[in-house]
Amino acid sequence: MMNLILICLLCGLYGVLAKDKEQKGKYSVPILDVKTRQLVLDINQTLLLNCRGRWELSWAFPSGLATDQVRVEKSRCGRTRQHYCSRLTVSRSQTQHTGQFRCRYEHKTQRQTFIYVFVTDSQQPFVDQGMNPHVLYMREKHPLIIPCRVTHPNVTTTLVKFPNHSLSPDHRNIIWNSKQGFTIRTPTFYYIGPFFCQTITDGVTHKSRIYFVHRPVSNIMDVYLNTSGSIEALKGDRLVVNCTATAELNTRVNITWDYPGKNSNGGSTSKRILKHQTHMLFYNILTIPKLQRSDRGLYTCRVTSGENTKQVKATVTVYDRPFIRLKPRHGSVMEVQAGQKSYRISLKLQAFPAPEVIWLKDGMVAAEQCSRYRMDGNSLIIRDVAEEDAGKYTVLVRIQEHGLYQNLTLTLVVNVSPQIGEKAVSLQDPGSVPRGSRQVLHCTSHGVPPPHIQWLWHPCPSKGLPAAPQA
Ligand SMILES: *[C@@H]1O[C@H](CO)[C@@H](O)[C@H](O)[C@H]1NC(C)=O
Ligand SMILES: *[C@@H]1O[C@H](CO)[C@@H](O)[C@H](O)[C@H]1NC(C)=O
Ligand SMILES: *[C@@H]1O[C@H](CO)[C@@H](O)[C@H](O)[C@H]1NC(C)=O
Ligand SMILES: *[C@@H]1O[C@H](CO)[C@@H](O)[C@H](O)[C@H]1NC(C)=O
Ligand SMILES: *[C@@H]1O[C@H](CO)[C@@H](O)[C@H](O)[C@H]1NC(C)=O
Ligand SMILES: *[C@@H]1O[C@H](CO)[C@@H](O)[C@H](O)[C@H]1NC(C)=O
Ligand SMILES: *[C@@H]1O[C@H](CO)[C@@H](O)[C@H](O)[C@H]1NC(C)=O
């Protein structure tokens, strides 16, 4: 135990010593041959920088300088060729090349040395040219930088709020720096809007491009998917879900997806932003090219803007193969009373993909047989149920593209209340009949199931003798 601690102490000590030595040692950062912090060149002049270090070197240069405008020559140098040298050449410097040139170690880019290069042209005092305005976002309690950098270190400028309100540097809140532009230390609402920088050289006024300062708001109004909350798909299918966020103008949002296959890089996303007159629309479309079983689960589209978050979810079910599962809902024989306003014949049907459903009555397409039959979803509805509706109903379910078929036949019994036929025709009073004569009384009745007939005799309250009841 003691030994272990001692060893560790020694390791720690060695580590500290080694680090110290390295930092003190020469070439802890690469070294440039130019010793000043800045360099002022004229337009069309050649910029030449030499850098030397202990490891492989790389360069970082201003974004206005394209890679193919730079020549870099690497070599080994030093007495025993123990060092790495790199020479950077820009043969025709242009004003937009103004900026920081950094020489750094390739494996540890934070170990670097830099020099700021101005490429001057009295006709072009501003680095950033171009007509199209640049959008800047102001954040409360954060300095606002209007990056109208200049091509000569001694250029003095004024900041102008459009159209003509000038602001001069005051060394307190409005700070000028030729390498940065204007910094507004604590910007107020006054700084929202279009600004530009202006300078007068040899009696000529030069203006920078326009900078639009926006104060971003973070009001997400709504977030929705272009699908329902549950998505069904087959293994191998392509899944494409479009998540839309609407937000107030000037709002910036981040849209991210969370889903089961996110870490296995199974999906890709693409984004779009649309500006409407009254609001912003942000789209983020998730695509999974080939669904696997492992892709089933919860898909969450999360939209954040500053402190605000809104999200929307959908469940994805992945089936191995297409299927039809068909069962009667209430047994295979159903009973209904004639005269009922409507009756629904429904099934338990599960299938994927969506099947075609056809109802037959006694072997013929139901809807073509009678105008009282209509489909509602997968059910068949019979309006004003009549005795003739009794029969065999067959539902055919098919998914033709996958060659899947199933059918199910149900029997409908229509009960009819007993009716006495004689009641329908006007009743004829048999009148008086001779005593002792034989009389036949008729009662015709119909119903489903067949009715049971019973005769009852009521003695006549007034004159005459009643006829003997006869069944
Ligand atoms: C820089 O070079 C270009 C191309 O040769 C030339 O047209 C331009 O006049 C030069 N500018 C200056 C300031 O010398
Ligand atoms: C900038 O101005 C200072 C002081 O006026 C001067 O010493 C310096 O040479 C000027 N720099 C350039 C590059 O002209
Ligand atoms: C600034 O612009 C306004 C409107 O365009 C004009 O009335 C005013 O005279 C201008 N002020 C200056 C100092 O140019
Ligand atoms: C995404 O869905 C929205 C509706 O939710 C639609 O307006 C928009 O056009 C869709 N975007 C794409 C790229 O399909
Ligand atoms: C949702 O949007 C994507 C992308 O626009 C589209 O490919 C997909 O078919 C849409 N889904 C639905 C159910 O509309
Ligand atoms: C979006 O996310 C990035 C990186 O996580 C963050 O820097 C940025 O501030 C976020 N933007 C908004 C509007 O929330
Ligand atoms: C219903 O299915 C059976 C076998 O499952 C088949 O023999 C019969 O022909 C089918 N009926 C119809 C009308 O398709």
Side-chain angles (χ1 to χ4, degrees):
M1 190 60 191
M2 203 55 205
N3 281 351
L4 203 69
I5 289 171
L6 196 62
I7 288 167
C8 281
L9 273 174
L10 285 175
C11 303
L13 204 58
Y14 180 75
V16 168
L17 286 175
K19 207 173 165 194
D20 219 15
K21 198 173 156 206
E22 203 173 277
Q23 262 162 12
K24 277 194 188 136
K26 219 180 168 193
Y27 298 118
S28 66
V29 294
I31 291 178
L32 283 169
D33 63 340
V34 189
K35 291 288 172 268
T36 54
R37 301 294 300 251
Q38 72 182 44
L39 207 58
V40 182
L41 297 182
D42 280 328
I43 183 171
N44 288 347
Q45 266 189 332
T46 298
L47 169 67
L48 189 64
L49 293 172
N50 283 296
C51 187
R52 186 180 183 124
R54 232 193 303 172
W55 295 286
E56 282 276 2
L57 301 167
S58 70
W59 293 89
F61 36 80
S63 57
L65 184 56
T67 313
D68 61 355
Q69 295 173 296
V70 185
R71 199 169 79 227
V72 173
E73 295 155 277
K74 293 183 175 183
S75 62
R76 297 300 291 263
C77 47
R79 217 170 2 98
T80 57
R81 302 175 65 75
Q82 78 277 31
H83 287 153
Y84 291 79
C85 279
S86 184
R87 170 199 292 252
L88 176 137
T89 314
V90 181
S91 43
R92 307 185 124 263
S93 297
Q94 300 299 313
T95 53
Q96 65 267 29
H97 302 165
T98 298
Q100 211 174 51
F101 286 75
R102 284 176 284 161
C103 176
R104 54 204 193 173
Y105 284 130
E106 206 160 70
H107 71 296
K108 248 193 183 155
T109 50
Q110 71 272 30
R111 295 239 185 138
Q112 57 183 353
T113 311
F114 62 86
I115 183 163
Y116 197 94
V117 177
F118 289 95
V119 182
T120 67
D121 179 350
S122 57
Q123 301 306 306
Q124 292 187 0
F126 293 104
V127 178
D128 241 0
Q129 292 161 24
M131 295 305 291
N132 48 335
H134 190 80
V135 178
L136 300 174
Y137 294 99
M138 182 178 107
R139 287 167 68 202
E140 269 171 80
K141 303 192 186 88
H142 283 80
L144 169 69
I145 293 174
I146 302 193
C148 53
R149 295 185 299 138
V150 286
T151 59
H152 189 283
N154 285 6
V155 168
T156 54
T157 63
T158 47
L159 179 63
V160 183
K161 180 165 185 178
F162 200 84
N164 58 15
H165 190 254
S166 295
L167 300 154
S168 293
D170 63 3
H171 308 290
R172 283 185 316 117
N173 190 37
I174 306 173
I175 316 287
W176 169 250
N177 179 328
S178 57
K179 297 173 187 170
Q180 281 191 338
F182 279 100
T183 302
I184 316 297
R185 282 211 176 124
T186 48
T188 56
F189 281 14
Y190 172 80
Y191 291 95
I192 296 172
F195 283 83
F196 61 88
C197 302
Q198 181 172 292
T199 186
I200 300 167
T201 45
D202 306 330
V204 182
T205 303
H206 295 274
K207 290 177 179 179
S208 73
R209 66 160 31 163
I210 288 181
Y211 298 93
F212 264 104
V213 181
H214 273 276
R215 189 178 71 98
V217 287
S218 54
N219 275 340
I220 308 166
M221 282 143 56
D222 199 6
V223 177
Y224 50 91
L225 303 178
N226 73 333
T227 61
S228 67
S230 74
I231 303 167
E232 295 177 300
L234 286 176
K235 204 163 110 180
D237 276 357
R238 176 187 166 88
L239 177 73
V240 184
V241 189
N242 175 351
C243 180
T244 306
T246 55
E248 274 183 23
L249 289 178
N250 298 341
T251 299
R252 280 285 171 275
V253 306
N254 277 340
I255 306 186
T256 51
W257 282 97
D258 273 321
Y259 53 98
K262 187 170 180 172
N263 294 327
S264 57
N265 288 325
S268 63
T269 57
S270 68
K271 296 174 189 176
R272 264 185 72 197
I273 301 178
L274 273 184
K275 192 173 176 186
H276 270 232
Q277 221 150 38
T278 55
H279 61 282
M280 303 287 293
L281 273 174
F282 299 87
Y283 301 118
N284 190 323
I285 298 168
L286 172 70
T287 305
I288 294 182
K290 245 181 155 149
L291 279 173
Q292 301 299 315
R293 224 166 204 282
S294 56
D295 288 319
R296 60 187 167 182
L298 205 57
Y299 284 64
T300 308
C301 170
R302 185 171 294 118
V303 181
T304 57
S305 178
E307 307 280 283
N308 297 341
T309 300
K310 273 207 169 96
Q311 58 185 36
V312 59
K313 298 178 187 201
T315 308
V316 172
T317 309
V318 181
Y319 296 114
D320 284 341
R321 58 186 74 84
F323 68 94
I324 298 174
R325 282 198 282 270
L326 181 60
K327 273 200 291 191
R329 191 171 286 279
H330 311 287
S332 61
V333 178
M334 303 160 298
E335 277 188 55
V336 61
Q337 192 68 35
Q340 193 171 312
K341 268 260 158 275
S342 85
Y343 185 72
R344 174 189 290 266
I345 309 179
S346 63
L347 307 152
K348 282 185 183 166
L349 172 60
Q350 285 179 302
F352 191 83
E356 189 186 353
V357 176
I358 298 166
W359 281 94
L360 304 180
K361 178 174 185 251
D362 298 323
M364 313 237 293
V365 176
E368 289 171 8
Q369 263 189 67
C370 178
S371 63
R372 293 181 295 109
Y373 299 160
R374 98 185 142 79
M375 276 185 71
D376 178 40
N378 294 328
S379 308
L380 183 73
I381 294 185
I382 303 173
R383 192 163 40 84
D384 299 324
V385 180
E387 190 181 350
E388 74 211 42
D389 297 331
K392 291 210 181 302
Y393 289 83
T394 303
V395 63
L396 304 180
V397 178
R398 65 181 182 210
I399 305 173
Q400 214 146 6
E401 76 227 70
H402 296 286
L404 288 181
Y405 303 90
Q406 278 213 17
N407 65 45
L408 181 71
T409 299
L410 304 167
T411 303
L412 183 69
V413 174
V414 179
N415 292 330
V416 181
S417 315
Q419 304 278 328
I420 295 172
E422 286 68 15
K423 278 182 80 171
V425 297
S426 59
L427 204 63
Q428 283 187 350
D429 191 342
S432 41
V433 294
R435 181 184 192 143
S437 68
R438 185 185 172 85
Q439 291 295 319
V440 179
L441 295 179
H442 287 278
C443 173
T444 333
S445 147
H446 176 72
V448 181
H452 169 77
I453 297 177
Q454 193 183 4
W455 284 94
L456 297 172
W457 176 66
H458 297 278
C460 239
S462 59
K463 58 177 174 95
L465 284 172
Q470 204 120 30

